[in-house]
Amino acid sequence: MTAEEPRAMRRRPTQERSRATVERILAAGRSVLLERGFEGASTNRIAAAAGVGPGSLYQYFPDKEAILDRVVERAVDDLEARITRAFLAGLRGGDDAVRGHLEALLDALCAEADLVRVLWQDRPRTAERRRMGFARRIDALVAGALLAEHPDADGVPVDAVAWMLVRTVEHVTISWVLERPDVGREAILDELTALVGGYLRTRWT
């Protein structure tokens, strides 16, 4: 295992009862993570929240990092799936489509606001590794969508445009979810739609 890979389970459950125990441990791990953060989470707290003894926990996980890595992997998988759906058809069909997909992105982030806060503030290794990989996949999706919409993109640095758009939208939306500024959701969507739509129009007009 390299420093960038998530910690593995000690053994994988094969019986229904064992799988149920692992699910309780992971649910408890998520609850403790959101309440205490990475530093405050411990195997004892997770075991207590799961209603199992520490010995039962250690049958499946070698330490708290292995539990929290699995919790993060699951949560980020779900968040990535929702955000990918928001981006896949995005940047096509004018400002209405752009706004619709930005709204879907905000919905996904707001639905997991507590988790997003922990992941972005604590920056655990697993979450950071997944975030970078996911951002690169979204870069490719956006670049592909732009090329499909504008096959005559000669002279336009599509990869650079996609990279800037993805990072801008990511920063603005996550900052709004975390900071909760005195700026309404509709105003954020209006201005971000104008920003993205206006920028794209300058590149292909």
Side-chain angles (χ1 to χ4, degrees), residues 11-31:
R11 73 181 179 89
R12 296 188 178 279
T14 56
Q15 298 181 347
E16 184 176 349
R17 182 177 178 181
S18 298
R19 289 194 293 271
T21 298
V22 168
E23 289 303 315
R24 286 206 311 275
I25 292 170
L26 292 175
R30 179 187 171 99
S31 176

Side-chain angles (χ1 to χ4, degrees), residues 35-48:
E35 180 181 352
R36 302 277 185 170
F38 276 82
E39 291 301 319
S42 68
T43 51
N44 285 339
R45 283 181 173 140
I46 293 171

Side-chain angles (χ1 to χ4, degrees), residues 105-126:
L105 172 60
L106 270 185
D107 286 344
L109 294 174
C110 289
E112 293 284 6
D114 290 340
L115 179 65
V116 170
R117 184 176 303 280
V118 170
L119 297 184
W120 259 260
Q121 290 181 347
D122 287 4
R123 295 284 185 176
R125 184 186 66 247
T126 298

Side-chain angles (χ1 to χ4, degrees), residues 37-43 46 57-58 62-69:
F38 276 82
E39 291 301 319
S42 68
T43 51
I46 293 171
L57 184 150
Y58 285 121
D63 49 36
K64 81 166 188 178
E65 283 76 15
I67 299 170
L68 298 183
D69 277 354

Side-chain angles (χ1 to χ4, degrees), residues 2 6-7 11 21 31 40 43 45 49 65 72 80 83 85 88 102 108 110 113 119 140 155 164 183 186-187 199:
T2 70
R7 301 293 301 275
R11 73 181 179 89
T21 298
S31 176
T43 51
R45 283 181 173 140
E65 283 76 15
V72 168
E80 283 188 5
I83 292 173
R85 289 194 294 270
L88 270 175
L102 291 173
C110 289
L119 297 184
M164 290 176 62
V183 179
E186 294 304 306
Y199 175 65

Side-chain angles (χ1 to χ4, degrees), residues 136-197:
R136 286 191 290 270
R137 290 193 293 276
I138 293 296
D139 292 344
L141 286 172
V142 173
L146 291 174
L147 285 172
E149 184 75 6
H150 305 283
D152 56 343
D154 294 342
V156 177
V158 174
D159 288 342
V161 170
W163 187 91
M164 290 176 62
L165 285 174
V166 172
R167 298 312 179 282
T168 299
V169 169
E170 177 189 49
H171 179 75
V172 171
T173 54
I174 289 176
S175 294
W176 185 80
V177 169
L178 297 184
E179 295 176 17
R180 287 299 183 185
D182 189 21
V183 179
R185 175 190 175 93
E186 294 304 306
I188 287 294
L189 287 170
D190 287 346
E191 296 309 312
L192 195 52
T193 298
L195 180 69
V196 172

